[in-house]
Amino acid sequence: MQIMRSRDDFDPIVVSIPHHYGGDAPPKGEGRVHRFLADRDVPHLRLRKAEQGWASELIHSLDPDIVFRQSQWDADVDPAFTAENLAWTRLALIPYEMINPTRNVPWDEPAVDSALDQHWHRAAWLVFCANDDVLAIARRQTVTGGRQYRAVGHPKADALRRTVPAWPLEGAAPSRRRILWSAHHSILDGWNDFGLFPSTSDEMLRWAREEPGIDFVFAHHPYLAGVFRRPESPVDSASFSAWLEEWTRLPNTAYWRGEYAPVLAAADLVVSDGPSMITESQVLSKPTIFLERDGHVQFNSIGEMIIQGVHRVNDVASARIVAESILSDGDPLAEIQRQTTLRLFGEPGAAQRIVDVIVREAADETARI
């Protein structure tokens, strides 16, 4: 968007909108997006929760040539912003996840690759992906043969590389070791089945109690709180609140709901059960312990590369042993991480490459008229 604003041939318009993950009502979150954009001096329009009924009127009044949406999940947004209802314009996607490391999750259409071949992907004018490995998968596994895919790197990887570290525990001595614990939302059965919070939360609490000389920051996928509200969840909201009260009572712990990248950049070690976090941590060269749940969705060929750079364990007791070794002697997987990151995301500059592709594709269209 910043690159487009600096040019005469683009007029970028940003709109902050509410979301409802997985169709979970009511829509919310627009205020957080607005504040994020305002803090970075990004001019934008606002579609507040109370104004959701005007979504279709707003998008038609703007009459855009191209619509970028952050997510491929139509269920997360107002119907006005679905692939079907935006078929009158060109659609484009920069996926919110930097790269998909797993095989297909269970879906309404078993043959559909939900990371590459949903309705938004098929309807898109352009889909931007991180590398030629993803492009090859798209060419093999999508109805369109990946014709709309372009490999450019990922702006999120570049943003992570620029992140300024910040640690939530104020006044902590710089010499103290810092562990970021990130929990995924998939604690139920039948999605990608990575989440281990119900079986690891008490053990992580014990670890923090028994290691007062180490700082622990707990963060989680934003959808995890919504899962706690579901009747089939093994942890309900009240139980989570009670656990969280114990966690935050310790002098060496914190609970973080804000922007996670600065905390990730400040950490000495990452402990996570999430497929995205074990990827992003490697972009910042962070030693990473992967708490691996039995029976999760299998990794694809990209995921098999990614997990070479992390330490795979099945429980917190094993994680503690590995963490002690890493914090004492360093990470033996550091060079593997560096090589993996270079292969998956290439050199910085993805945003400029995306703009260049749009200009080139638009020129080709004009030449054919």
Side-chain angles (χ1 to χ4, degrees), residues 181 196-210 216 218 234-235 239-240 242-247 250 291 315-317 320:
W181 167 34
L196 277 171
F197 180 82
S199 62
T200 58
S201 55
D202 288 343
E203 288 301 308
M204 290 299 297
L205 181 62
R206 180 178 292 110
W207 186 3
R209 279 182 177 143
E210 294 177 355
F216 292 81
F218 170 59
V235 178
S239 298
F240 175 66
W243 175 89
L244 192 60
E245 184 176 350
E246 289 192 66
W247 175 264
L250 298 176
L291 285 168
D315 53 46
V316 175
R320 293 181 65 169

Side-chain angles (χ1 to χ4, degrees), residues 47 51-63 78 80-81:
L47 186 70
E51 301 163 344
Q52 190 82 343
W54 301 343
S56 180
E57 185 176 350
L58 171 63
I59 195 71
H60 280 88
S61 67
L62 295 175
D63 192 24
D78 186 273
F81 304 127

